[in-house]
Amino acid sequence: SSKYVLSQMHPMWQGPLAVPGGDRQSPIDIVVRKSVFDSQLKPLVTDYDPDTCQQIWNNGYSFLVEYDDTTDKSTLKGGPLRDKFRLCQFHFHWGESNAWGSEHTLDRRLFPAELHLVHWNSDKYSLFEEAVMEDNGLAVIGVFLKVGKRHEGLQKLVDALPAIRHKDSVVEFNRFNPACLLPANTDDYWTYHGSLTTPPLTESVSWIVMKQHIEVSHDQLAVFRSLLFTSAEEEVQKSMVNNFRVQQPLRGRTVRSSFT
Ligand SMILES: NS(=O)(=O)c1ccc(NC(=O)NCCO)cc1
Ligand SMILES: [Zn+2]
């Protein structure tokens, strides 16, 4: 209806936000031929307990599926990581069209969306809020989405989205195993040191970007775009689209690959 202003550029995304001394900002363009194979990189080991899934909510930037991270029940280790990391939430970034939407790019190639599984170092810290301030306090797995066949595992999440259309809406969400959103091959990835891609943009993230994408249907992605940036009370509603940050300078960082 006319009440909904389509794909208003959300103020937060206009241009790269300068971060004082920000020389390891994310996202970046991964120049595949410039990535360096590192034989020391191990396969990722994820061990997610679907019973730790708690709620799904619209935080005004994306929608988050939050996990109980008070114990080591849903964890990530291996890969480039020395410690054990606890899953706290996952979310996505997407465009208003299938032509763009991802945060990272591969040789400048944009994907329609990108999944982020957010973990914090539970060997060293006792809370996300502590870990987010520390070098390598966080580990985020990035998975590219392409439009194709319907993703059966995603559908349970898609069906919950109409209930959290507006900013700050929350619904209970249980028994979802995020492993179903990982690609078949999780041995091949790129990794680099970077930052959160939304405020506070802290430079505490070991990024692990999967080489293999997952496929979701056009209709499933359209439901992501039916979410709103705005709360129910606001006069003008803004479609939640283009919630990605622009690529940031590499500043001499090396992107390592786990595969040749
Ligand atoms: N897009 S991103 O870099 O993966 C990212 C992850 C977590 C956050 N912040 C966060 O998780 N805050 C506290 C609990 O939600 C912000 C950005
Ligand atoms: Zn993200």
PDB file of all heavy atoms in Angstrom, residues 91 93 103 116 197, ligand 2:
ATOM      1  N   HIS A  91      22.186 -14.137  11.422  1.00  0.00           N
ATOM      2  CA  HIS A  91      21.354 -13.147  10.722  1.00  0.00           C
ATOM      3  C   HIS A  91      21.796 -13.090   9.268  1.00  0.00           C
ATOM      4  O   HIS A  91      22.761 -13.759   8.880  1.00  0.00           O
ATOM      5  CB  HIS A  91      21.516 -11.758  11.382  1.00  0.00           C
ATOM      6  CG  HIS A  91      22.898 -11.237  11.284  1.00  0.00           C
ATOM      7  ND1 HIS A  91      23.888 -11.573  12.202  1.00  0.00           N
ATOM      8  CD2 HIS A  91      23.494 -10.474  10.342  1.00  0.00           C
ATOM      9  CE1 HIS A  91      25.017 -11.008  11.839  1.00  0.00           C
ATOM     10  NE2 HIS A  91      24.820 -10.350  10.698  1.00  0.00           N
ATOM     11  N   HIS A  93      22.107 -10.493   5.439  1.00  0.00           N
ATOM     12  CA  HIS A  93      22.118  -9.192   4.757  1.00  0.00           C
ATOM     13  C   HIS A  93      21.634  -9.460   3.343  1.00  0.00           C
ATOM     14  O   HIS A  93      21.988 -10.489   2.757  1.00  0.00           O
ATOM     15  CB  HIS A  93      23.539  -8.606   4.724  1.00  0.00           C
ATOM     16  CG  HIS A  93      24.153  -8.435   6.082  1.00  0.00           C
ATOM     17  ND1 HIS A  93      24.159  -7.243   6.767  1.00  0.00           N
ATOM     18  CD2 HIS A  93      24.764  -9.344   6.899  1.00  0.00           C
ATOM     19  CE1 HIS A  93      24.774  -7.404   7.929  1.00  0.00           C
ATOM     20  NE2 HIS A  93      25.134  -8.670   8.045  1.00  0.00           N
ATOM     21  N   GLU A 103      27.567  -8.766   1.648  1.00  0.00           N
ATOM     22  CA  GLU A 103      28.528  -7.801   2.211  1.00  0.00           C
ATOM     23  C   GLU A 103      29.917  -8.085   1.632  1.00  0.00           C
ATOM     24  O   GLU A 103      30.559  -7.193   1.088  1.00  0.00           O
ATOM     25  CB  GLU A 103      28.547  -7.907   3.740  1.00  0.00           C
ATOM     26  CG  GLU A 103      27.191  -7.545   4.357  1.00  0.00           C
ATOM     27  CD  GLU A 103      27.317  -6.868   5.690  1.00  0.00           C
ATOM     28  OE1 GLU A 103      27.875  -7.470   6.620  1.00  0.00           O
ATOM     29  OE2 GLU A 103      26.886  -5.709   5.806  1.00  0.00           O
ATOM     30  N   HIS A 116      25.361 -14.680   8.221  1.00  0.00           N
ATOM     31  CA  HIS A 116      26.436 -14.542   9.210  1.00  0.00           C
ATOM     32  C   HIS A 116      26.084 -15.320  10.477  1.00  0.00           C
ATOM     33  O   HIS A 116      25.053 -15.053  11.111  1.00  0.00           O
ATOM     34  CB  HIS A 116      26.657 -13.060   9.565  1.00  0.00           C
ATOM     35  CG  HIS A 116      27.281 -12.285   8.450  1.00  0.00           C
ATOM     36  ND1 HIS A 116      27.183 -10.906   8.343  1.00  0.00           N
ATOM     37  CD2 HIS A 116      28.005 -12.687   7.372  1.00  0.00           C
ATOM     38  CE1 HIS A 116      27.831 -10.499   7.278  1.00  0.00           C
ATOM     39  NE2 HIS A 116      28.340 -11.562   6.660  1.00  0.00           N
ATOM     40  N   THR A 197      30.301  -5.528  10.821  1.00  0.00           N
ATOM     41  CA  THR A 197      29.945  -4.693   9.666  1.00  0.00           C
ATOM     42  C   THR A 197      28.823  -3.705  10.008  1.00  0.00           C
ATOM     43  O   THR A 197      28.372  -2.955   9.151  1.00  0.00           O
ATOM     44  CB  THR A 197      29.483  -5.559   8.473  1.00  0.00           C
ATOM     45  OG1 THR A 197      28.250  -6.212   8.840  1.00  0.00           O
ATOM     46  CG2 THR A 197      30.533  -6.571   8.095  1.00  0.00           C
TER      47      THR A 197
HETATM   48 ZN    ZN B   2      26.188  -9.553   9.494  1.00  0.00          ZN
END
